[in-house]
Amino acid sequence: MSGEEKQPVAKKRTGRRPGGEDTRGAVLAAARAEFGARGYQKASMRAIARAAGVDAALLHHYFGSKDRLFMAALEFPIDPRVVVERVLAGDRATVGERVAAFVLGLWEQPAVRDRLLALLRTAAASEEVAALVRGFMVTELVDRLAAELDVDQPELRVELVMSQIVGLAMARYVIGAEPLASAAPEEILPLLGRTVQLYLAAP
Amino acid sequence: MSGEEKQPVAKKRTGRRPGGEDTRGAVLAAARAEFGARGYQKASMRAIARAAGVDAALLHHYFGSKDRLFMAALEFPIDPRVVVERVLAGDRATVGERVAAFVLGLWEQPAVRDRLLALLRTAAASEEVAALVRGFMVTELVDRLAAELDVDQPELRVELVMSQIVGLAMARYVIGAEPLASAAPEEILPLLGRTVQLYLAAP
């Protein structure tokens, strides 16, 4: 992990080991500030590196691309790339059930669910967080997925799927309406799967 | 509006005109306290009347039944009775489009939308409010509607419709994802209508 020789001249703080916990914390704090100030699309990896006092190449080395850094900074528990892969892999005639099973499986993991609900609550209370989540999801999920779908208004349809998933989480976990709150995932799966199928694949 | 002779012996505060603004305010405050403490189903009109220092018969006269009082106390902008009527009136083969058009029409009214979003935000932040909204909606909408639907798991299906409607509001008005946020109701209507149709009427 020795990379001191790669540190930029402009590095403001010294004694920090690149890749160490203090560097990581500084990068994530700088990322949150930059994402918050400029939004997901306009935020710059270079500006985040500069603010954290680390080399831009080093930032890419440790955090990969902007979506990885965003997910780390906001503790975003779902990887849009994996979602896109799941949707596009396999037969389009069964995409609804595949997506529904994947989503229900994610929400059943307490760590994922808790973090998603926390993000949802924060987004509902803060326009800044709502804008951040919106920018990330539209860029990394909606646009990528819509480009591969063979339907009219693909972006609108992907967002309707997202709206059903968000609403299901609200109704099941936040409002807690029975019998939905206690229903087994297998009871919800066929109904949710048909809806997703309809949005993503029906003419 | 003279009804002083109807006042109960236990009335604590005097000089209040039944049906006047001060009585109304006292009743609504007592209703909020009772609903909050005991939930929608267990809350008692009698206890609310007693706490507000008004006659129970008078309470019924001015506020009608418990659902009316709840809607007034929480400024709940949608009348479940009207929703149930809309769903059950007319051909079951077109129930999806009918419900979708009604809901989209409601949300397009700024006063209704603002109040619903405020309730949604409060419910997301407060378990007590979530429980209140849940109790009201399950009793007055889900159970009434499910009793008339000719499908398996009717309660689950009604709640899936509610979840899609809540999620659509979150995605369209709170998260504000484009193109969903700016789409005309007529663009959303056919897609939402098919989903509601599927939940409420498909085997």
Side-chain angles (χ1 to χ4, degrees), chain A residues 120-121 123-125 127 130-131 133-134 138 142 153 155-157 159-160 163-164 166-168 170-171 174-181 183 187-188 191-192 194-195 198-199 202-203, chain B residues 120-121 123-125 127 130-131 133-134 138 142 153 155-157 159-160 163-164 166-168 170-171 174-181 183 187-188 191-192 194-195 198-199 202-203:
Chain A
L120 214 54
R121 287 189 166 100
E127 167 52 30
V133 172
R134 172 174 74 229
V138 169
V142 178
Q153 301 181 291
E155 292 88 359
L156 188 67
R157 283 155 170 270
E159 289 177 357
L160 282 168
S163 81
Q164 172 59 94
V166 164
L168 180 62
M170 290 283 293
V174 177
I175 308 287
E178 295 293 1
L180 182 59
E187 289 181 88
I188 300 170
L191 291 161
L192 180 64
R194 287 198 300 188
T195 297
L198 191 157
Y199 283 142
Chain B
L120 214 54
R121 287 191 167 99
E127 167 53 29
V133 172
R134 173 174 74 229
V138 169
V142 178
Q153 301 180 291
E155 292 87 0
L156 189 67
R157 284 156 170 270
E159 290 177 357
L160 282 169
S163 80
Q164 172 60 95
V166 164
L168 181 62
M170 288 284 292
V174 177
I175 308 286
E178 295 294 0
L180 182 58
E187 289 181 88
I188 301 170
L191 290 161
L192 180 64
R194 288 198 301 186
T195 297
L198 190 156
Y199 283 142

Side-chain angles (χ1 to χ4, degrees), chain A residues 25-45:
Chain A
V27 166
L28 295 182
R32 281 189 290 269
E34 168 79 0
F35 285 128
R38 296 175 50 80
Y40 180 71
Q41 288 100 330
K42 290 186 180 167
S44 137
M45 289 288 272

Side-chain angles (χ1 to χ4, degrees), chain B residues 8-9 23 36 46 59 86 99 113 125 128 142 145 147 154 193:
Chain B
V9 181
T23 302
R46 186 178 301 269
L59 187 66
R86 291 294 175 108
V99 171
R113 180 200 306 176
E128 189 192 82
V142 178
L145 207 48

Side-chain angles (χ1 to χ4, degrees), chain A residues 131-154:
Chain A
L132 256 186
V133 172
R134 172 174 74 229
F136 178 65
M137 294 301 276
V138 169
T139 306
E140 301 295 346
L141 201 151
V142 178
D143 288 352
R144 288 176 195 278
L145 207 49
E148 305 292 330
L149 293 180
D150 189 25
V151 289
D152 283 342
Q153 301 181 291

